[in-house]
Amino acid sequence: MTAKPLKSLKPAELKWTCPDNFFEFSKSSELSPSKEIVGQDRAVRAVKLGLEIPSSGYNMFVTGVSGSGRETTVKRILDKIDTTTDKLTDLCYVYNFEDSTRPRALVFPKGEGRKFKEGVELCVELLKKNIPVVLRSESTAAAKGALIEEFSNEKKTHMGKVESEAVSAGFAVVSIPSGQGQSRPDVLPVIEGKPHTYEQLQQMAAEEKITPEKLKEYRELHTELFKLLTSAIRHSQSIEIKAQVEIEKLYKRILKPTVAGILDRLSGLGGKESAEYVNQIEETILTNIDVFSANTEEADPYIIFEVNLIVDNSDIKKRPVVVEQFPDAVRLFGNIDRIVIDSKPYSDHTMIRAGSFLRANGGYLIINAMDVVRQPGLWQTLIQTVRNRTVITRPNEMTRAFMPIELQPEPIDVDVKVILIGPSWLYSTLASQDPDFGYLFRVRADFDDSMSLNEENIRDFAGVIAYICQSESILPLSNEAMGSIAEQAVRLTGRQDKISLKFNMVADYVRQASYWANQEGHDVVTAADVTKAISEKQYRLSMGQDYATNRILENQVMVDTDGSAVGQLNGLAVYSGADHSFGLPSRITATVSPGVEGIINVERESEMSGRIHTKGVYVITGFFREHFAKDYPLCLSAGIVFEQSYGGVDGDSASSTELYALLSALSGVPLRQDLAVTGSVNQHGRIQPIGGVNYKIEGHFKVCKERGLTGNQGVMIPDSNVVNLQLHRDVIEAVEKKQFHIYPISCIAEGISLLTGIEAGERSVHGSYPADTILGITDKRLREMAETVRDFGGRH
């Protein structure tokens, strides 16, 4: 375990700086604004593949961080590829004559749906005008009159026979009043030229004007004649019914050419289903002539023929691209409106409304996947629709509860390529949890959030910024300001060899820099304006950081930035919020004694340690097994703790710090308190990279600066994290003045030597370390502790 001589990093190594005069313009408005898709070759190729393969199942899931241009890229690629088509369709709903609760769907080639709707409207107007005219014509009246006369004569013939029989028997057919304005037919005997009722006959018999025998004879004749009269009346009624039927047949025969001729203008529109529907219109009218010929101000009977054109692609030449910004069941799959009539809800086929799926039929539907999964049940309906390629329109849940009879429109087959946009974790979750997902979404387009930092990419980056300035009427940037924006974009990636593609975040700095330039009366954004925008944003969001830093400065949280101490060292932690992250030093201490418990992770014992942090502590135990106790047992009881930590600890970036504290506690050699340490360690003592290195350095620097820079303070970081440095200007200036130092560390030996001023020590061929080294002193102490445990019989 050999340590090489350590040097702190030079200022040039702490940040990528845009070369002077890299941009050959005085202001960005001189550039050609770029709408090109920058740095996303992999994603672009995937999107193009997914958009152009027509096969079933080639729907697409576009992943990547928000602001990396996912939706914009999809739209631009769609603009570039040829989506011209003559296969689009119009969609209509019409009345179902067999079951009014199940409206029929009619599909037309594009443009014919509107023609069909307008044609039906014209037909209805012509039918309303022509049917009454035809029925009131002289020829119709003559034909109807002939029928009426024919059946009237037949009725008279039958009634004449009854009247003849009555006269022969001395009776007459008369009408007897039976109520107000009403009468009934009867046959009565005629005596002395006048008809007499049965009551009158009884009176005459009582007055002996007729004999009882004659009264009986009248009664018997009346019964026989009344039967004949009843039979004749029934026959007359059947003749009337027959007459009505024949009149209806007459009307139907007369009207059929007119109705068929009017509806013939709809022929050739649509296919077999629309032709069948037109035939049903004709049959309905001819079967209900009295309804459709009535001149009434009540409900229009022709309303059932209204065509509900829910999707009209008449003027569309390319495949539709529908971006659904607010997806829910109604907006995606449609709805059925309702009105209230006589305090009762009512819906019919004219109230069906198309959703995004139907409007995107034959084209593309772009949806934010997070918006879908946030709504209960919506994902399942979406998957069912994509799998079955069929849209079922239902009333929304609130309306549904009040519908006495629910409409069930005929499902419509669709051909839609669905493009979901969402984060990578959601893609992984859906792929693992939904068995249909992988089959239905076969193309994943993964958008990167950064690209390589080279000359070509920087110029492409500048072109995009110029486009943002132009499209949003933002002040142009000077070449120095563009360089400052590029430097901030590099910081967003956390690497000196990458530049950010999170243009939503980058554009925020541009907009805010333009604001500050306006405040200063500039006509172009300067580098100072960019610096102002960055510092102002930092100030707006750093209240929590300032509170935490002040607690350290006020010694409410104990952190030393000078001197030395045994078993104590400053670690570094990152605190992340929704829109701001910052680093702070935190005291880590270690205590040791002979024993067999091993290394006790106080955070874990108090259930405040995350799994990765716990793993890091176990790795430290592996380090001790690797470097010590080759000929004696490791008998150690040690405690490691993050002092004044109350919110839990996770991550292994402090494992090297914890190891340094343990080595100090075992060797008794104090550690420098003016240095803060970050870095993960493996069992062999190699320092591994960590995250948030810039925040950690700047957090410790801020505490040191507030207390006063001594020229000795600094931070130890993994050497593999040097490429991640993109530090703020004030840190770099302090390094330039040798007031602050940043040391790249590759192994524990380098770090412990810097912290103690004593060599770590290298194991000899005999397995021992030099006695005056840190590892030698530690080895001796561990051996003594093993002997102590042995002497006490394993008790402690």
Side-chain angles (χ1 to χ4, degrees), residues 491 538 541-550 552 572-585 691-700 702-703 728:
R491 177 179 169 90
Q538 169 75 16
L541 301 177
S542 61
M543 181 183 293
Q545 179 181 1
D546 290 344
Y547 280 142
T549 302
N550 288 336
I552 294 175
L572 291 168
V574 173
Y575 300 86
S576 295
D579 50 10
H580 183 61
S581 298
F582 62 92
L584 283 177
V693 65
N694 292 303
Y695 299 126
K696 291 177 178 180
I697 294 172
E698 290 162 358
H700 184 60
K702 184 173 183 178
V703 172
H728 284 153

Side-chain angles (χ1 to χ4, degrees), residues 294-429:
N295 186 10
T296 176
E297 295 182 357
E298 296 181 0
D300 183 1
Y302 287 90
I303 193 69
I304 64 172
F305 302 142
E306 183 176 343
V307 176
N308 183 7
L309 179 60
I310 62 172
V311 175
D312 182 6
N313 285 317
S314 301
D315 303 322
I316 307 299
K317 296 180 180 179
K318 294 187 175 183
R319 298 183 183 276
V321 179
V322 178
V323 181
E324 185 48 73
Q325 301 284 7
F326 305 97
D328 57 24
V330 170
R331 294 184 66 91
L332 283 178
F333 309 113
N335 189 30
I336 303 174
D337 295 340
R338 70 184 179 103
I339 58 176
V340 177
I341 300 176
D342 296 331
S343 302
K344 295 181 181 179
Y346 170 80
S347 292
D348 61 31
H349 70 282
T350 65
M351 301 178 186
I352 301 171
R353 303 290 176 256
S356 300
F357 253 96
L358 292 180
R359 289 188 286 109
N361 190 24
Y364 310 90
L365 177 58
I366 303 173
I367 315 172
N368 187 301
M370 285 298 297
D371 291 338
V372 175
V373 299
R374 285 190 182 109
Q375 300 191 48
L378 189 58
W379 174 257
Q380 181 181 357
T381 307
L382 174 68
I383 284 294
Q384 290 171 343
T385 302
V386 175
R387 181 180 63 237
N388 298 319
R389 307 184 77 179
T390 301
V391 172
I392 298 176
T393 303
R394 302 182 177 91
N396 68 65
E397 293 300 324
M398 291 183 63
T399 302
R400 230 166 148 182
F402 298 98
M403 295 297 290
I405 299 177
E406 182 179 326
L407 285 187
Q408 298 180 29
E410 182 180 354
I412 297 178
D413 293 337
V414 292
D415 178 19
V416 178
K417 189 174 287 291
V418 178
I419 302 165
L420 295 178
I421 297 176
S424 297
W425 67 263
L426 180 58
Y427 176 89
S428 300
T429 300

Side-chain angles (χ1 to χ4, degrees), residues 247-261:
I247 290 172
E248 289 178 359
K249 287 181 180 180
L250 171 66
Y251 283 169
K252 189 171 184 180
R253 186 170 61 254
I254 293 173
L255 283 175
K256 185 174 178 63
T258 300
V259 175

Side-chain angles (χ1 to χ4, degrees), residues 453-471:
L453 186 66
N454 55 48
E455 184 174 330
E456 179 183 359
N457 286 346
I458 295 174
R459 296 192 188 282
D460 289 342
F461 174 87
V464 174
I465 298 302
Y467 171 74
I468 292 172
C469 291
Q470 182 192 72
S471 62

Side-chain angles (χ1 to χ4, degrees), residues 194-214:
K194 294 176 60 177
H196 285 66
T197 64
Y198 184 71
E199 290 78 8
Q200 291 173 331
L201 293 176
Q202 286 182 317
Q203 181 64 32
M204 291 175 68
E207 295 175 355
E208 296 182 352
K209 293 181 179 180
I210 60 173
T211 63
E213 289 78 8
K214 193 64 176 177

Side-chain angles (χ1 to χ4, degrees), residues 716-734:
M716 292 165 48
I717 66 170
D719 61 348
S720 51
N721 276 123
V722 173
V723 70
N724 302 111
L725 296 177
Q726 192 72 6
L727 293 168
H728 284 153
R729 186 67 219 167
D730 55 351
V731 180
I732 297 174
E733 289 175 352

